[in-house]
Amino acid sequence: MAKDDLLMHLYELLQNAISSPIIERFFAFVVDVFVMVAFTVIPVVGIVLSGVYFLIKDIVPLNGHTSFGKAVYHMRVVNTQDNAPLSKLMMFKAVVRNIFILIPFLNIVDIYFLLSTGKRLIDTWIETDVALFEETL
């Protein structure tokens, strides 16, 4: 019975993910991966640019303080205290959010937390959130 309950729980999580902004967040991440791959076309410097973009993609000032992927889906990372987009002054939060993706076990916990609550675990810890915006960039 426990196995059936687990499968049912996973099925419910996936149903919730498909019918929520989580799918858009996933596709925004895919767009950002394509941007990082595009940077690698430039020998040596491109790899460095790709790594820097990965770390600070949520505060790119050319793009309305959001990553290119999130801009496509009209999303940005905001500080939960004042709902302001992350800026250079909050670079630490942006870097921590993105480094968290690289830690294998925490990454799995983070994905589970996102699917079950709609918010990443790291966003809870560092007081950030992904919000939709209406204005054009």
Side-chain angles (χ1 to χ4, degrees):
M1 282 297 198
K3 185 177 179 181
D4 291 338
D5 291 339
L6 177 64
L7 290 175
M8 187 58 111
H9 181 66
L10 291 174
Y11 177 75
E12 289 173 6
L13 287 176
L14 289 175
Q15 286 286 77
N16 291 337
I18 290 170
S19 63
S20 72
I22 294 172
I23 291 297
E24 285 87 5
R25 288 178 70 169
F26 171 76
F27 286 127
F29 182 76
V30 170
V31 169
D32 288 330
V33 168
F34 279 119
V35 169
M36 289 183 285
V37 169
F39 279 136
T40 62
V41 171
I42 306 166
V44 182
V45 175
I47 294 171
V48 173
L49 284 174
S50 180
V52 169
Y53 177 76
F54 175 77
L55 292 176
I56 64 166
K57 65 184 164 69
D58 296 322
I59 60 168
V60 176
L62 300 173
N63 214 24
H65 295 284
T66 189
S67 71
F68 290 106
K70 284 185 181 70
V72 168
Y73 289 95
H74 301 283
M75 295 183 286
R76 69 169 50 115
V77 179
V78 296
N79 191 14
T80 55
Q81 295 165 344
D82 58 3
N83 276 346
L86 294 186
S87 63
K88 285 191 271 185
L89 298 175
M90 298 177 213
M91 186 181 293
F92 175 76
K93 287 186 176 191
V95 170
V96 168
R97 281 185 92 250
N98 295 319
I99 286 178
F100 203 78
I101 294 170
L102 300 175
I103 303 169
F105 176 72
L106 290 178
N107 193 356
I108 293 169
V109 172
D110 199 30
I111 291 169
Y112 176 79
F113 202 79
L114 176 65
L115 291 174
S116 61
T117 66
K119 189 171 180 177
R120 289 180 57 199
L121 181 60
I122 190 64
D123 286 334
T124 304
W125 289 349
I126 63 172
E127 299 178 338
T128 58
D129 199 4
V130 175
L132 297 174
F133 65 89
E134 296 299 322
E135 74 269 8
T136 58
L137 296 176

